[in-house]
Amino acid sequence: MRGLGYLDSTFAHMQFQKNQLTIFHDNLVRVVVVVPCFNEARRLDRDAFARFLQGADPGVRLLLVNDGSTDRTLEHLRELAAHHPERLDVLDLTRNVGKAEAVRQGVLRGLEHWPSAEFVGYWDADLATPLEEIPGFLRVFQDRPHLVAVIGSRVKLMGRQIERRATRHYLGRVFATFASLSLGLSVYDTQCGAKLFRVSEPLRAVFAEPFHSRWIFDVEILARMQRLARLEALPPVETVVYEYVLSQWRDVAGSKLKPTDFLRAALELVRITRHTRHWVPQQMQTRPEILNPKIMLEPEYERMYRTEDHYWWFVARRELVADWVARLNLPEGAVILDVGCGTGANALAWTRFGTVVGVDFSDQALERCQRRGLSELARGDATKLPLGDATADALVATDILEHLEDDRAALIEWKRVLKPGGHLVLTVPAYRFLWGEHDVALMHHRRYVASELLARAREAGFEVTRSTYAFSLLLPVAVVQRLLTRKPPGDRPPEAKFPAVPDWLNTALIRFQRLETSLLRHLSTPFGLSVLAVLKRPT
């Protein structure tokens, strides 16, 4: 079970008509919009707020947050609340804490005070984005129930009334480009002050702790959402956040933003990027996999389950090992033991050679094997297998030995369960100098050179039938990648690195490795990312 998960809401009680949201059956608050206000007395458009509240559905509630204003802002806010007591509330912060913290405290108050709320968000007090855009945001949620956030985007298109000064527009585009690169997301407009979120446990986690940025907390929200998605194996942010092109937006006189603030924003962007790499939400900090780095994170299993059917590395390694297993000439009805079967894609592939028994220490891994339809499964330690002596015709261990503290004991145990003349086919990652965050996340103890692996095998009593390095031409790429990345700090969960590649490149890499698989039938290579060996239990 996940500690955090996006919660889907039902829209059965909602109906959208033109620009209004109609909520059936009750007058419960469904949408809370936080409006942070600091010294807004001169430009607060009270008439615009009043017009919106007169026509909006009772399910929409405005929460105006006075951020320690020193002018008459609080007085004006209270007057609005007095005229619309069922539609508008005021939260008064006695000292100025900045927009980010004012929004955060407003969101937390909204979630606490209106537990019926299904959506919460924030809007700039100058109403550069009219409140009348809110129903459009909600229609997007209705049309796309999987979304967790809808954010406003100021794109000047024909038929859209977007009035923005050229200087701010171009500075904003430069900042948005850097923000996109920093986040790794193709987001057009991070800073538009109009955003709505679906209420969920991950959202509460995002807002539970103060932001590190006073100015560009919008970016920090997306960064935290992205971090949570990785920690909890949730859908990628780019698939659940939607940029809604506004119908209207205008620069409002009296903006507190100055050109020099863009430099400050750039510095804050660097700080946000560094912080969110380490960030673990408070709700997760006592979980076993966070406290104990020897427990593999559940999201790593889920990521593996989702990717190993199609990702080039898993496919190429599986096809390489299958090619070597096929040439063992196993007897009909052979028993093949897959040690460390993981999430089951490999075990499923071996079934064409005989009856496969999958063994793994993790219940999370075995549960995913069952999803694939595998039934011959056993929970067990790779150094104490739950099988009798001489029961398997072949044993396959793809990138398993490096996970085990005592690799020699594991090899002796694997020889025990093999029949005399039975074969062990195994792969291990090569070269200690390639050690990185990927190894830490996957709980590796070591990487090997071929001579070291074969020496261990002979000590355990195996005969070496064949060995080679594999994935040879990709070694230079891996070296460069390791040089550009550092081992993660100890105060955050490490992440396995399976870099996303376009479909065409994924297909090309699979085909390229098929060529290497064919070549390895006839020759051995002196270097590569992996070591592959076929070992035999003496007869």
Side-chain angles (χ1 to χ4, degrees):
M1 296 292 291
R2 295 175 185 167
L4 299 174
Y6 288 117
L7 304 180
D8 290 331
S9 296
T10 177
F11 286 82
H13 61 282
M14 291 188 178
Q15 171 181 304
F16 294 88
Q17 298 176 340
K18 296 183 180 179
N19 288 327
Q20 296 301 323
L21 169 67
T22 301
I23 301 178
F24 297 140
H25 308 314
D26 55 50
N27 289 321
L28 293 176
V29 173
R30 303 293 186 184
V31 182
V32 177
V33 178
V34 174
V35 182
C37 304
F38 174 66
N39 288 347
E40 298 285 352
R42 288 188 176 182
R43 64 175 189 165
L44 189 71
D45 192 343
R46 287 175 285 176
D47 291 339
F49 280 98
R51 285 194 302 271
F52 171 75
L53 292 173
Q54 288 170 1
D57 190 277
V60 178
R61 191 84 173 196
L62 299 185
L63 177 59
L64 277 57
V65 181
N66 176 48
D67 184 19
S69 299
T70 56
D71 60 2
R72 299 180 61 193
T73 296
L74 180 59
E75 179 183 338
H76 293 333
L77 299 185
R78 285 175 172 166
E79 288 176 1
L80 270 172
H83 284 92
H84 307 278
E86 302 300 322
R87 311 300 310 284
L88 186 149
D89 288 82
V90 175
L91 172 61
D92 180 27
L93 305 180
T94 56
R95 65 181 183 87
N96 178 248
V97 294
K99 182 179 179 181
E101 183 62 11
V103 167
R104 192 184 76 88
Q105 292 199 29
V107 168
L108 294 178
R109 173 65 65 88
L111 293 174
E112 177 186 6
H113 196 68
W114 293 287
S116 60
E118 298 179 12
F119 304 97
V120 65
Y122 55 91
W123 232 254
D124 281 348
D126 60 8
L127 300 187
T129 304
L131 291 167
E132 284 73 17
E133 293 276 5
I134 291 174
F137 280 57
L138 294 170
R139 277 196 295 274
V140 174
F141 277 115
Q142 181 196 35
D143 295 339
R144 298 168 174 82
H146 68 285
L147 293 179
V148 301
V150 176
I151 63 178
S153 186
R154 297 163 290 186
V155 183
K156 191 169 185 177
L157 302 172
M158 289 189 293
R160 309 278 175 170
Q161 299 176 24
I162 307 298
E163 302 172 12
R164 196 176 186 188
R165 292 194 298 273
T167 303
R168 287 190 63 177
H169 170 72
Y170 290 115
L171 286 173
R173 294 307 313 132
V174 170
F175 176 79
T177 299
F178 281 107
S180 294
L181 293 172
S182 174
L183 292 169
L185 298 174
S186 298
V187 56
Y188 180 84
D189 190 351
T190 60
Q191 298 310 110
C192 179
K195 293 179 172 65
L196 277 184
F197 305 89
R198 190 188 304 278
V199 174
S200 65
E201 288 307 310
L203 181 70
R204 296 177 192 275
V206 166
F207 282 90
E209 304 167 41
F211 297 110
H212 278 63
S213 170
R214 288 173 61 95
W215 292 84
I216 57 169
F217 68 98
D218 309 75
V219 176
E220 192 167 356
I221 289 172
L222 291 173
R224 288 186 179 185
M225 292 173 67
Q226 193 172 40
R227 176 73 172 145
L228 270 177
R230 290 171 180 164
L231 288 173
E232 289 289 352
L234 299 170
V237 168
E238 57 267 28
T239 67
V240 293
V241 175
Y242 183 89
E243 287 197 84
Y244 175 74
V245 179
L246 299 174
S247 299
Q248 299 180 60
W249 191 91
R250 61 187 176 88
D251 266 321
V252 178
S255 170
K256 302 176 180 66
L257 190 65
K258 302 182 291 294
T260 55
D261 291 330
F262 284 92
L263 177 59
R264 181 184 300 180
L267 296 175
E268 289 197 353
L269 182 61
V270 173
R271 186 161 68 245
I272 288 171
T273 303
R274 289 178 177 174
H275 170 68
T276 51
R277 287 176 183 169
H278 304 247
W279 182 67
V280 177
Q282 292 175 346
Q283 294 94 320
M284 293 182 64
Q285 289 176 5
T286 57
R287 284 169 52 175
E289 64 266 37
I290 302 298
L291 295 174
N292 183 0
K294 292 188 177 182
I295 300 177
M296 184 169 165
L297 289 170
E298 192 272 347
E300 299 300 343
Y301 286 111
E302 185 62 22
R303 261 191 287 273
M304 188 178 297
Y305 177 76
R306 290 179 181 178
T307 59
E308 66 175 345
D309 283 327
H310 59 84
Y311 191 72
W312 71 270
W313 170 261
F314 295 114
V315 174
R317 185 184 62 182
R318 183 161 55 247
E319 291 183 353
L320 173 62
V321 173
D323 188 71
W324 284 41
V325 173
R327 288 184 286 133
L328 295 178
N329 297 317
L330 295 173
E332 186 175 351
V335 175
I336 303 168
L337 183 61
D338 188 347
V339 175
C341 59
T343 58
N346 289 347
L348 197 61
W350 315 149
T351 56
R352 69 179 185 268
F353 304 118
T355 300
V356 177
V357 179
V359 178
D360 203 286
F361 189 76
S362 167
D363 291 331
Q364 297 168 346
L366 295 176
E367 184 272 330
R368 288 166 173 81
C369 288
Q370 290 176 329
R371 291 189 208 172
R372 297 185 187 276
L374 295 167
S375 57
E376 299 293 331
L377 302 169
R379 186 181 186 278
D381 189 327
T383 60
K384 298 177 182 178
L385 295 172
L387 284 88
D389 295 349
T391 55
D393 296 282
L395 189 152
V396 181
T398 52
D399 289 7
I400 299 301
L401 199 61
E402 68 275 8
H403 291 265
L404 307 176
E405 190 169 354
D406 190 343
D407 54 353
R408 184 175 179 275
L411 288 167
I412 292 173
E413 174 68 359
W414 297 353
K415 182 169 71 74
R416 178 188 69 80
V417 300
L418 279 171
K419 296 176 181 178
H423 288 85
L424 165 61
V425 181
L426 78 161
T427 63
V428 293
Y431 302 126
R432 178 71 188 184
F433 67 81
L434 290 178
W435 184 272
E437 180 176 356
H438 180 92
D439 298 277
V440 178
L442 295 180
M443 312 310 302
H444 293 173
H445 284 277
R446 67 193 73 79
R447 299 175 75 95
Y448 292 85
V449 293
S451 59
E452 178 187 12
L453 176 64
L454 300 184
R456 289 278 198 282
R458 292 187 178 101
E459 289 172 6
F462 279 104
E463 296 175 357
V464 178
T465 300
R466 176 83 194 280
S467 69
T468 183
Y469 285 93
F471 302 101
S472 301
L473 294 182
L474 295 175
L475 180 62
V477 178
V479 171
V480 172
Q481 191 270 338
R482 289 295 192 269
L483 291 174
L484 294 177
T485 57
R486 297 179 299 175
K487 185 178 177 180
D491 59 349
R492 70 172 175 92
E495 298 167 7
K497 300 297 183 183
F498 297 110
V501 296
D503 289 343
W504 67 267
L505 181 56
N506 192 70
T507 301
L509 287 168
I510 291 172
R511 291 176 177 173
F512 177 79
Q513 288 305 132
R514 284 174 182 162
L515 176 62
E516 185 186 61
T517 295
S518 298
L519 292 174
L520 288 177
R521 294 172 187 166
H522 311 289
L523 53 85
S524 297
T525 53
F527 57 86
L529 291 179
S530 295
V531 182
L532 189 151
V534 178
L535 310 175
K536 180 180 178 181
R537 175 177 175 174
T539 55

